[in-house]
């Protein structure tokens, strides 16, 4: 069993300090559309970012385990917040991961590992949500 | 409808750059228990922090709306990650919010507003999860 603990202290207005152990302290604020300041991390962005980065972290867990040499990797995660009958809810999160590997052999190996299925099954954050997470994973050889 | 977008780029090892528009870039890494470095934000901590900070942000939304003058406020959020039959999952997140208001009248007003129920209903992040979120909200007058 693993425990993940964070502390949050109100600063002023709609701004907060988020900390966890010795991690760099993070300013979090209500998003601008709900009255907060521009250019600060909102809880909603952190949520979407946690889903994307957990899928990516899970990808690299398997890349290490199966000795898949990654050259570069970029990813994006976008979450939709919508009014539903129950209130404002995340109705979907789209995550796209693009990986470049060194050659055709490595790309074929990635294919055979069915990594998309593994990420969907083993990423603990995306698997703990009540909203659909759509994952696109593309592994390409270097051009 | 609101869109929340983040970009994540692999740096090296199990470390990533997480960005969202003009927000300060954030280093995210696989947690130490899964082979990552110490003292960096993990996706799991960001996830737990997003739940806690969204509940707090929702609290301040209502505090503004109902003109509840808050003197100080601290909060913590702790998530449990456990092995289940389906794999590693968050099985519960405990959030505690302690608010200090100026006098007895304000504390009574907070009581009458049933803020705990409102936060549980209207916080969009905690309401989008498939794991139980237990909230404790204590509003006290200044000693």
């Amino acid at each position: 069993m693993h425990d993940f603990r964070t502390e949050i202290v109100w600063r002023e207005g709609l701004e907060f300090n988020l900390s966890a152990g010795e991690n760099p302290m993070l300013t979090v604020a209500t998003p601008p559309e709900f009255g907060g300041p521009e250019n600060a991390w909102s809880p909603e962005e952190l949520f979407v970012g946690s889903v994307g980065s957990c899928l990516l972290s899970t990808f690299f867990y398997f890349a290490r385990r199966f000795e898949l040499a990654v050259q570069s990797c970029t990813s994006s995660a976008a979450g939709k917040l919508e009014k539903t009958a129950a209130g404002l809810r995340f109705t979907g999160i789209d995550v796209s991961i693009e990986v470049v590997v060194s050659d055709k052999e490595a790309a074929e190996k990635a294919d055979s590992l069915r990594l998309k299925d593994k990420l969907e099954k083993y990423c603990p954050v995306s698997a703990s949500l009540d909203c659909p997470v759509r994952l696109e994973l593309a592994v390409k050889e270097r051009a």
Side-chain angles (χ1 to χ4, degrees), chain A:
Chain A
M1 203 265 285
H2 307 278
D3 257 317
F4 295 95
R5 297 176 171 279
T6 64
E7 309 287 329
I8 313 150
V9 176
W10 177 51
R11 282 166 57 171
E12 54 169 357
L14 298 171
E15 294 181 43
F16 312 93
N17 290 333
L18 176 63
S19 58
E22 301 296 311
N23 296 0
M25 202 175 64
L26 185 56
T27 300
V28 178
T30 303
E33 46 265 72
F34 303 129
E38 299 277 347
N39 303 337
W41 284 94
S42 65
E44 290 84 349
E45 287 167 333
L46 288 181
F47 175 64
V48 171
S50 76
V51 176
S53 59
C54 199
L55 282 161
L56 205 54
S57 165
T58 307
F59 171 82
F60 277 88
Y61 172 85
F62 286 111
R64 281 199 161 184
R65 181 164 157 191
F66 295 112
E67 294 178 347
L68 186 71
V70 174
Q71 301 245 326
S72 65
C73 180
T74 57
S75 174
S76 66
K80 266 195 179 67
L81 192 63
E82 294 183 286
K83 268 202 177 150
T84 71
L88 215 51
R89 295 289 182 273
F90 278 92
T91 54
I93 298 178
D94 290 304
V95 178
S96 158
I97 300 178
E98 297 197 2
V99 183
V100 177
V101 293
S102 53
D103 53 31
K104 200 178 167 184
E105 199 185 346
E108 285 172 356
K109 183 179 178 181
D111 237 29
S112 74
L113 289 170
R114 300 186 169 277
L115 290 170
K116 183 174 180 288
D117 296 347
K118 286 189 169 62
L119 301 199
E120 285 169 341
K121 183 166 179 189
Y122 293 106
C123 167
V125 169
S126 65
S128 299
L129 307 189
D130 189 32
C131 76
V133 177
R134 288 170 291 262
L135 171 64
E136 279 183 40
L137 173 64
V139 181
K140 291 174 187 163
E141 58 182 297
R142 189 164 50 170

